[in-house]
Each structure stands twice: as structure tokens, then as C-alpha cells.
Amino acid sequence: MAENPLFAPSDLPYELPPFAEIREEHYLPAFERGMAEQLAEVDAIASGTEPPTFANTIAALERSGRILDRTATAFFTVSASNTTDGLMEIEKRVSPQLTRHSDAIRLNRALWARIKQVTTEDAEEAWLLEKYRDDFIRAGADLSEPEQDRLRAINEELSKLSTTFAQSLLKASTESALRVTDPKELDGFDEAEIEALRQDDGTYALPLLNYTLQPGLARLTDRDVRRRLYELSVNRAPGNFELAVTMATLRAERAALLGFPSHAAYSVADQTAKTVEAVENMLGQLVGPAVRNAKKEAEALAEQAGFAIEPWDWSYYSEKVRQARYDFDGAAMRPYFELDRVYRDGVFFAATKLYGITFAERPDLGGYHPDVSVFEVADEDGTPLGLFVLDPYARPGKRGGAWMNNLVDQSILFGQKPVVINNLNVTKPASGPTLLTYDEVNTAFHEFGHALHGLFSKVRYPRVSGTSVPRDFVEYPSQVNEMWVTWPEILANYAKHHETGEPMPAELVQKLKAAEMFNQGFQTVEYLAATLLDWAWHKLAAGETVADPEAFEATALEAAGIAFPLVRPRYRTNYFAHIFTGGYSAGYYSYIWSEVLDAESVEWFKENGGLTRANGDHFRRELLSRGGSIDPLTAFRNFRGREATIQPLLARRGLT
């Protein structure tokens, strides 16, 4: 297929993938050619006769696999955001092939022997060299042949199971949707929202989002409808329980092969946390105060309801208590949060004020779906910086949640500027403006924090570009960017009524801030329960078995002191995509670990004048631009001026 657009670099600006030209039949030939080409390149490096140097070994590895990189980026972007049956079949076929391919490189003994001989005096090169060595050791480069054979088999099986888990969950999100025939059962939604849920057969379907508590639970007035929605949520994709058991068991066996007592120990060893004990010490400081706060909140909800509440009542009566205590109604904010204005006059405006960058829409550049928008980003002096791609809407072929990834990695080695994409899952109205909830606005700012990490990257090598940092550090810059959501100058610029243009009333903002601390107990318990469930699955030792995964869940939460019947984990095992398909196994703690750094950083911004170019330039220079090219905690200390403490986080969450 000489005309395959994936065989050559894109000729679009910034090498944006040519999605309009790529057809499904292009992917498999490009994957096959890309893998074969990279293996040939790796063999040439491994069999080189010249003494190993950084240039002929590490930099050469960085240069390898360009077709494969382009193909994988385009394919997994589309398969996550706009998949089809055809793409799902390709993913089933190619995922184990990619695992075998990765193992073929990292278990190449001749290549590993050369890497061990490389030396360099350059600081950035030395850091990258250390990353490569760690990658190879953790991949099993030092194991015996029989051990490597078993490792390959485990990796391939895990790859297949992960794909099956993800596709089962995607299917369940649609098949387990709440379906009603009478629109009166959706009382609490406005007419436009109800109309957007209408199906071709005249019924109405409310699809499930990734997490346990569905947004509709806060607004649906019919208690039995709330119960049905909740039970559909927690019981979806039941077949995934057994997949999870198998995956956790295989991960424990792999960890033992590599010399670790558990997958949790293996997982954190190359993170900023380093040890199981460090993670458990931090989590242990949060569990008791969080549960106490949640129980107090439950008492207030029961008092408001006038009866003993159930889990599906929590969100609904939380809003009632907010209204009663603080005269705050979250739904009253939606008319002031129109999607386009939130981005142009909020997200982008904050980035311009803080960093001096500007945005220009590029309607001549397209994505893989008509709803995708592309913006060219420039520095203050007009120097092109990269592209920002936005895909805001939910659709049947899109996985749940919100995420960022690079379509093109910034690197000086290839002279490439970054192209980054943000995906959200906002419901698209049948007509009229797209109005966001406060949580969706917060998500927009959060994901753009990841985008800034990618856009500001200024490193030599793609391996350490942008968000290529430890998992328990990557959420930190995005969480910092959330602080601008309600910053007065930013909020005043974008929170305007979609019909009248009137700014959001000051008293509504004040009520929001007064009400924010309420329900922090619930939010912390919900998150910690998921974190500790992840931890329990991945502290299994090799040979340990789980006969009843649902009983295992219950026992694990009880043992961790986080079991509270009214607050289930944010994700149960059967739909915990983060840890069974998303690379966060034994890593869901990362969000709260990163929030320690985030809370410290927010304090620093406030202490130093807030939204100023000097502050933005300092954060960009010392942290965002460095990607993964230096130790991340060194980058944090260079920015903050000292080590982080947990006190700002405890205060933020009302846990002091």
C-alpha cells in the first residue's frame, strides 16, 4: 500500500496526523511495517561494531520506530474517541503484537549489553540513560531465558485481557444505559437535555459515565429512577470481575519474577513515591478524618431527607443541603457556562494572562470527527508553539472520562513542536448552546493543565517530552490549573449568561465558595475507597488466589478502614478502567499524591500575587518546560523553593 498516509510524515502543519486520509485498512499494514522497521533498526544498533556511545545507542533508539509511533498515535487516538467494530477488531489483533514487539526490544541481550556500557557527562543525557536502564531492568532484561519466556507470555496475556476489559466496559456503558419510555421519569432535567436523550425508537437513554455516582443522580427527582440508575452503574460489565482477578494474579506473578513482593511494590519503585510504605503512610493520614467527615455529612443528608438515605440519594440530597445551608443551587450556574465561551474567555484567557500565549482557530485543519476543533498556539512574541486539539462531546464510540495525550511529541532531536489533544465527555444538546456544569468546567481547566505541560515542553528527546513523567507526578500541573476556574479576573471574563451576556452574580460565586467544603468528606472517602481497592488488588503476592472478587472488594475496604455503605468506591473493580486498562495499576493513589504538590503550589501562587506573568513564567521555566528530563521532585523544589508538606492539602479538604 504505497499510498498509505501513515508510511510518511504528515505534511500538515506541525505534522498533525492526516485523519481525513486515514482509512481503517491503513492501520494493520502500517503497524506491521512499523514494527518490522523498528526491529531492523534495533538489530542494527545492537550489532554495531563501534564502541557504544550515547549517540549510536540511546539517541539511535530515540530515532527508531517513526512509522510505528505515527501509526499507534493515530490509531489509539481514534479508537479511544470514535471507535467502530472494525477498529475494535484491529485493536484485539494488534495489542498482543505490540506487547511482543516491546518485549523483543527490551529483552534483546545484545542491545542491553551495549546500553550498560554507555556513559555521558551531559546532565539531560545522563537522566535519559538512567531512564532507559531502568526501563530495561524493569522489563526483565537481566532474567534468565526461561524467566524471560514466562514474562513474555504474561505480558501478552495481560495485553489481551486489558483490551477485552476495555471493550466490555465500553459496550456496557451503552447497553446498561438507563432506558425509560416516559420522559416524566427524567424530571429534574430540562427539556433540551431530555430531548438530547431521545432515541430513534422514541425511548430515552441515559448512558453511563465511567464512575459510580452518575451526574443524573443529583437531579432526578424520582427516587426509584435514581435507584435504577445507581444499580445499573455499580453492576455493569459483571464479566470484568473475573478478568480483574486474572489480571491481578498475573501482575503478582510478574512482579515476583522481577524480584518484587507485589505488583504495588513493582509499580511504585520508579515513581516519586518509591516505596509501598510511603504511599500507605500518606493514605493513612487521610482515611480517619475523611470517614468522620463523611458520616457527619450523611447525618445532615438524612435530616434533610427525613428518612434513612441510600447511596443513590446522596447526590440529590447533597444539593438540597447546599441549597438549605448556603442557598446555593449548582444548576443555577449552568446558564453562565457556555462551552465555547468557557474555553475562549476562560481556559485560553487564563493561559494568555499567565503565560502570554495566544490561540487562533484553524478551521482548515481537521480531526477524526466533525466535533473536533484545532487551535494554533503562539508565544507572546508570535513564535509558533504548537497545536491544541479539542474533542469535547460524548458519543457512542468514545470511552468515558476525560484525558489528554500528545499527537506529536515535542523534541529538539526531530525538530518537532507539540500537538496535544484534550478529550471530554460533555453531552451534546440536540440544538442550542452547550451548557456545562461546574464540575465540567473544572474538568476543562484540569485537562488543559495537561495540555500546557505538553505545549511548553522544551526537551531534546521524545522519551522525556511533556507529560512523560512519573504517574504520581503527571496530575500535579493539571490540578494546579484548576485554581483559575474561580479566580475573580478569569471567572468574570467567561461566566456570562448565554442569553443575556450578564456576568454571573457575585453572590452566586460567594455561595459556591462557601458551599465547596461541604461534601468533601464524601469526595475524599469515595476517592480513597477506589485507591485502597486498587492497592488491595495489587498487593497480592504471587500464588495468592481470589475465589470471590466481590467478597474480596468488601473485605479489602473493611480492612483499610474505608468501608462506609453509603459511599461506594468511585470505581468498583468491574469498571475500574484506570487500573485494568489505563496504566494506573497500583497507581490510583497518584491523584492525591499529586494534590499534595498542587495544594502547595496554589499557596505559592497566592503568596506571590496570583495571576501574573512573572509567576507563570517561573512555573513554566522551572517545571512545565522540563517534561521528564530531570527528577520531577527536583523540578518541584526549583519551583517552590522547598519540599512539600501535607498541611495545605488537609486544610483544602477540611481534614485538619
Side-chain angles (χ1 to χ4, degrees):
M1 299 182 69
E3 77 283 1
N4 192 318
L6 294 166
F7 286 170
S10 170
D11 59 6
L12 293 175
Y14 303 90
E15 297 187 29
L16 176 72
F19 291 112
E21 300 175 22
I22 301 171
R23 301 190 304 274
E24 286 187 10
E25 58 264 32
H26 290 139
Y27 286 117
L28 276 177
F31 271 120
E32 290 165 0
R33 179 166 167 175
M35 286 186 278
E37 181 181 273
Q38 187 173 31
L39 287 180
E41 292 165 338
V42 167
D43 285 343
I45 297 167
S47 61
T49 56
E50 296 293 319
T53 65
F54 188 91
N56 68 23
T57 305
I58 304 302
L61 285 170
E62 287 288 285
R63 292 181 183 278
S64 72
R66 303 306 292 158
I67 289 178
L68 182 57
D69 285 346
R70 287 195 299 273
T71 304
T73 296
F75 175 78
F76 287 109
T77 295
V78 179
S79 66
S81 303
N82 196 35
T83 199
T84 64
D85 290 343
L87 292 176
M88 291 173 75
E89 284 303 313
I90 293 171
E91 186 172 4
K92 284 181 183 177
R93 179 171 169 181
V94 81
S95 291
Q97 292 178 353
L98 289 171
T99 299
R100 289 195 295 271
H101 176 75
S102 177
D103 284 344
I105 295 173
R106 292 182 177 178
L107 300 180
N108 184 315
R109 294 190 183 279
L111 178 62
W112 177 225
R114 287 185 67 86
I115 290 173
K116 288 191 284 189
Q117 296 177 62
V118 173
T119 61
T120 178
E121 297 298 319
D122 180 272
E124 187 171 339
E125 290 181 355
W127 179 255
L128 180 60
L129 174 60
E130 188 61 29
K131 298 296 289 180
Y132 264 89
R133 286 177 173 163
D134 195 42
D135 287 346
F136 274 69
I137 291 170
R138 290 172 59 80
D142 284 332
L143 297 181
S144 67
E145 287 291 345
E147 289 171 329
Q148 287 189 353
D149 288 343
R150 178 56 188 154
L151 188 67
R152 287 186 179 95
I154 290 172
N155 288 342
E156 185 170 341
E157 182 64 15
L158 283 169
S159 175
K160 292 176 182 176
L161 291 167
S162 177
T163 300
T164 303
F165 189 104
Q167 293 186 355
S168 170
L169 182 53
L170 178 63
K171 188 178 180 183
S173 297
T174 301
E175 291 184 350
S176 299
L178 174 70
R179 298 184 182 277
V180 302
T181 55
D182 186 351
K184 292 179 181 178
E185 291 188 274
L186 299 175
D187 182 57
F189 288 3
D190 62 38
E191 291 183 9
E193 291 173 304
I194 293 173
E195 186 59 31
L197 301 176
R198 182 194 288 270
Q199 305 299 296
D200 292 339
D201 62 1
T203 63
Y204 300 82
L206 184 61
L208 300 179
L209 299 186
N210 263 18
Y211 27 79
T212 296
L213 282 196
Q214 302 298 304
L217 292 170
R219 300 164 61 197
L220 291 165
T221 61
D222 188 317
R223 191 180 186 212
D224 188 61
V225 174
R226 294 200 304 272
R227 177 192 59 77
R228 286 158 49 200
L229 177 59
Y230 179 85
E231 290 180 347
L232 285 168
S233 179
V234 298
N235 294 315
R236 76 186 99 159
N240 280 356
F241 278 113
E242 290 304 322
L243 292 176
V245 171
T246 305
M247 292 180 75
T249 303
L250 287 171
R251 286 168 175 168
E253 182 185 352
R254 181 175 61 185
L257 270 175
L258 295 167
F260 292 90
S262 67
H263 180 74
Y266 166 78
S267 181
V268 301
D270 69 338
Q271 302 297 301
T272 65
K274 300 299 183 189
T275 67
V276 166
E277 292 73 23
V279 174
E280 292 180 344
N281 177 59
M282 186 267 289
L283 296 176
Q285 296 180 62
L286 301 173
V287 169
V291 172
R292 285 195 296 273
N293 279 16
K295 288 181 176 178
K296 290 179 183 176
E297 291 165 2
E299 292 172 3
L301 301 187
E303 183 179 346
Q304 178 69 33
F307 54 80
I309 64 167
E310 296 288 350
W312 48 86
D313 297 316
W314 191 291
S315 297
Y316 186 78
Y317 285 102
S318 287
E319 292 305 313
K320 296 294 185 186
V321 171
R322 278 197 182 96
Q323 291 176 34
R325 285 190 181 181
Y326 308 103
D327 191 25
F328 174 72
D329 179 6
M333 303 187 84
R334 292 186 71 245
Y336 299 92
F337 292 149
E338 189 274 320
L339 175 68
D340 191 59
R341 179 168 271 163
V342 165
Y343 270 94
R344 294 176 189 272
D345 298 341
V347 174
F348 294 168
F349 177 73
T352 300
K353 296 292 288 185
L354 198 58
Y355 305 109
I357 59 177
T358 55
F359 302 80
E361 188 164 8
R362 293 290 304 266
D364 57 313
L365 299 178
Y368 45 81
H369 190 278
D371 288 337
V372 174
S373 302
V374 181
F375 299 85
E376 187 168 18
V377 187
D379 256 321
E380 189 172 31
D381 62 2
T383 303
L385 188 62
L387 293 180
F388 172 67
V389 182
L390 177 64
D391 182 359
Y393 292 117
R395 62 182 70 94
K398 191 177 191 179
R399 69 177 171 90
W403 66 95
M404 167 270 184
N405 63 278
N406 284 359
L407 297 179
V408 178
D409 290 325
Q410 177 276 327
S411 76
I412 295 170
L413 180 70
F414 292 115
Q416 289 180 316
K417 295 182 182 295
V419 178
V420 302
I421 182 169
N422 276 179
N423 269 277
L424 309 181
N425 260 285
V426 176
T427 300
K428 187 176 184 179
S431 61
T434 301
L435 303 180
L436 306 183
T437 65
Y438 174 71
D439 284 345
E440 288 170 335
V441 174
N442 208 63
T443 297
F445 276 82
H446 175 100
E447 294 303 328
F448 195 72
H450 286 306
L452 289 170
H453 205 175
L455 287 166
F456 287 152
S457 177
K458 193 175 182 180
V459 300
R460 274 183 268 172
Y461 302 103
R463 169 67 176 78
V464 292
S465 179
T467 55
S468 300
V469 296
R471 186 182 50 234
D472 59 8
F473 190 82
V474 74
E475 297 297 335
Y476 154 52
S478 57
Q479 289 170 334
V480 171
N481 204 56
E482 295 174 27
M483 73 177 289
W484 309 115
V485 173
T486 56
W487 195 263
E489 184 179 355
I490 305 301
L491 188 70
N493 199 62
Y494 77 87
K496 297 179 181 178
H497 198 283
H498 71 98
E499 291 178 335
T500 67
E502 291 295 312
M504 182 181 288
E507 60 269 22
L508 186 56
V509 181
Q510 291 165 1
K511 291 173 184 176
L512 166 68
K513 292 183 175 179
E516 274 189 317
M517 196 63 72
F518 181 76
N519 218 37
Q520 279 294 322
F522 166 84
Q523 291 176 21
T524 308
V525 168
E526 181 195 45
Y527 167 78
L528 289 174
T531 298
L532 290 160
L533 181 59
D534 168 30
W535 208 241
W537 279 117
H538 293 114
K539 281 194 73 178
L540 291 174
E544 258 189 279
T545 59
V546 174
D548 183 342
E550 294 194 67
F552 177 85
E553 270 192 354
T555 301
L557 297 175
E558 193 70 41
I562 199 72
F564 184 29
L566 294 180
V567 184
R568 302 289 283 275
R570 183 171 173 81
Y571 304 99
R572 291 190 69 203
T573 300
N574 44 321
Y575 48 94
F576 208 160
H578 279 77
I579 68 171
F580 292 113
T581 73
Y584 272 68
S585 57
Y588 197 60
Y589 78 90
S590 300
Y591 289 91
I592 202 115
W593 186 273
S594 293
E595 196 179 342
V596 173
L597 306 179
D598 156 38
E600 278 274 20
S601 300
V602 169
E603 291 300 306
W604 181 90
F605 271 102
K606 291 177 177 178
E607 291 166 3
N608 288 275
L611 189 73
T612 70
R613 282 299 316 285
N615 287 346
D617 288 346
H618 179 61
F619 193 50
R620 175 179 178 176
R621 180 179 60 254
E622 299 297 344
L623 203 140
L624 296 177
S625 69
R626 306 305 297 271
S629 65
I630 67 170
D631 174 67
L633 293 184
T634 298
F636 172 81
R637 286 190 295 271
N638 291 344
F639 161 69
R640 184 66 175 100
R642 60 169 173 78
E643 303 283 350
T645 68
I646 200 172
Q647 291 310 309
L649 170 66
L650 296 176
R652 171 191 287 187
R653 286 183 171 256
L655 302 178
T656 50

